[in-house]
């Protein structure tokens, strides 16, 4: 529960800062899905797989990776590089402020 509360507080702080500090500066947030960093790998394998299974985006896995005769689609996980690129894109964009960009392979999508 503490994680959810602090994440919500951070997003509210971003909105307040964007309103109070604009037009001097732009304030945005990036909300990534599960990133398999050192911290993210502390989850149980079942929890990680459950998070991956929620992803709406899928990636194609070659037959060598899947050990099957054909290519298959596997649940995608949030990519660290995609998150980093989102921060760069936000820094370059002069037209966005007070926005939360979700980078989670569709894990938060409506099912």
């Amino acid at each position: 529960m503490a994680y959810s509360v602090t994440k919500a507080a951070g997003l509210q702080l971003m909105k307040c800062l964007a309103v109070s500090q604009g037009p001097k500066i732009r304030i945005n947030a990036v909300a990534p899905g599960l990133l398999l960093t050192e911290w993210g790998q502390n989850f149980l394998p079942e929890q990680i797989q459950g998070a991956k299974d929620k992803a709406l985006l899928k990636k194609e896995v070659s037959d060598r990776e899947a050990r099957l005769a054909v290519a298959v689609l596997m649940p995608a996980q949030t990519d660290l590089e995609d998150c980093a690129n989102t921060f760069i894109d936000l820094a370059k964009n002069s037209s966005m402020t007070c926005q939360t960009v979700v980078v989670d392979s569709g894990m938060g999508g409506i099912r």
Side-chain angles (χ1 to χ4, degrees), residues 29-64:
V30 175
L34 174 64
L35 296 171
L36 293 180
T37 60
E38 185 177 324
W39 182 85
Q41 292 177 7
N42 287 330
F43 289 102
L44 296 173
E46 300 82 29
Q47 293 172 308
I48 293 172
Q49 189 59 48
K52 287 181 181 181
D53 289 343
K54 290 180 183 177
L56 297 177
L57 292 179
K58 307 294 179 194
K59 69 173 185 170
E60 189 170 316
V61 178
S62 71
D63 58 348
R64 199 180 319 177

Side-chain angles (χ1 to χ4, degrees), residues 90-106:
L90 281 173
K92 290 179 180 179
N93 189 319
S94 63
S95 300
M96 283 181 70
T97 194
C98 198
Q99 300 300 310
T100 301
V101 180
V102 179
V103 183
D104 69 352
S105 299

